[in-house]
């Protein structure tokens, strides 16, 4: 992650009602909930990229009676955020969720967690170069299981990359299930499902944080 950002302190606005981060979190959690409800009774896998404190996924699973059918890996490099996520997991009894303290930009750190039915890519695409954003989208078919879903976020502050991201996702074989871009905010949340066969994962680096 970027060396100039304190990614633990970055989470504080999540606790401020009405903040853009809190509003975005609610949208992401709603889509996670909708995804779970759309696949009742299935054993499902999830990977969360640059998971931070895991508030999006953990905040949903802790309130569900069927949380045990989810196997998830949260990949996060900041040790303080890892500790918060691990404490949340223990408190909620989410035995199927693990946190890996590692660089989510390195594809080798996904071994054993992919292909995943759900890939959470929140808070990543606004902190990488446009070239790396394209590389991320190109890697999505290797991260996803068949018919896997990606939930991603990106700011629409100029220059707005979201039109390109949505086009790249279509090129990579994803259908758009939802795209939310509130007129009173700059964040956006996309939900896309893979419609082509998953691809093998290749070694290397997917992205580097620049913020």
């Amino acid at each position: 992650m970027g060396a100039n950002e304190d990614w633990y302190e970055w989470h504080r606005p999540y606790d401020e009602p009405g903040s853009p981060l809190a509003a975005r979190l609610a949208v992401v959690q709603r889509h996670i909930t909708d995804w779970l409800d759309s696949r009742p009774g299935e054993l499902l896998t999830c990977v969360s990229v640059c998971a931070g404190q895991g508030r999006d996924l953990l905040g949903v699973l802790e309130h569900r009676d069927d949380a045990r059918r989810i196997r998830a890996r949260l990949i996060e490099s900041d040790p303080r955020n890892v500790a918060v996520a691990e404490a949340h997991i223990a408190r909620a009894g989410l035995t199927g969720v693990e946190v890996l303290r590692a660089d989510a930009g390195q594809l080798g750190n996904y071994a054993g967690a992919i292909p995943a039915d759900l890939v959470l890519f929140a808070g990543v695409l606004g902190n990488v170069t446009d070239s790396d954003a394209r590389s991320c989208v190109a890697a999505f078919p290797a991260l996803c299981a068949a018919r896997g879903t990606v939930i991603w976020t990106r700011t629409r502050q100029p220059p707005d990359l979201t039109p390109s991201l949505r086009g790249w996702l279509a090129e990579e074989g994803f259908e758009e299930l939802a795209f939310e871009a509130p007129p009173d905010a700059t964040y956006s949340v996309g939900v896309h499902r893979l419609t082509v066969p998953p691809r093998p994962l290749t070694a290397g680096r997917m992205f580097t944080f620049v913020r």
Side-chain angles (χ1 to χ4, degrees):
M1 286 190 173
N4 297 323
E5 185 80 26
D6 187 326
W7 294 105
Y8 179 81
E9 292 296 328
W10 181 87
H11 284 73
R12 290 197 181 277
Y14 278 125
D15 297 319
E16 301 171 5
S19 73
L21 274 182
R24 190 189 76 179
L25 176 63
V27 175
V28 172
Q29 288 180 331
R30 172 163 48 80
H31 283 296
I32 294 172
T33 298
D34 290 346
W35 173 78
L36 286 166
D37 290 345
S38 74
R39 303 185 64 168
E42 293 185 60
L43 298 177
L44 299 168
T45 56
C46 173
V47 63
S48 180
V49 180
C50 292
Q53 297 174 0
R55 298 189 183 209
D56 42 17
L57 182 63
L58 302 181
V60 172
L61 293 183
E62 67 180 344
H63 299 297
R64 294 187 66 98
D65 294 334
D66 62 349
R68 290 185 180 273
R69 67 187 177 97
I70 309 302
R71 295 292 178 266
R73 176 181 295 176
L74 280 56
I75 304 177
E76 169 62 29
S77 64
D78 188 294
R80 298 165 299 172
N81 289 332
V82 169
V84 171
E86 288 178 334
H88 194 164
I89 290 167
R91 186 169 61 250
L94 299 173
T95 56
V97 183
E98 65 171 354
V99 186
L100 177 65
R101 182 187 171 190
D103 180 358
Q106 287 284 3
L107 289 169
N109 291 322
Y110 295 83
I114 58 170
D117 298 303
L118 176 66
V119 176
L120 294 177
F121 225 81
V124 180
L125 295 170
N127 295 297
V128 302
T129 65
D130 290 359
S131 176
D132 273 4
R134 183 65 184 93
S135 296
C136 290
V137 174
F140 286 172
L143 301 181
C144 287
R147 304 290 288 173
T149 298
V150 178
I151 299 176
W152 57 275
T153 68
R154 178 57 155 86
T155 178
R156 287 174 287 116
Q157 292 177 337
D160 182 4
L161 192 65
T162 59
S164 295
L165 288 165
R166 296 165 77 185
W168 296 336
L169 280 154
E171 292 174 12
E172 297 295 340
F174 285 85
E175 64 174 330
E176 185 170 282
L177 304 181
F179 180 74
E180 296 196 36
D184 58 347
T186 60
Y187 71 83
S188 57
V189 178
V191 184
H192 284 71
R193 182 167 56 204
L194 186 65
T195 63
V196 298
R199 299 174 193 159
L201 183 68
T202 58
R205 173 164 285 280
M206 181 165 45
F207 62 84
T208 300
F209 263 36
V210 295
R211 182 171 173 178

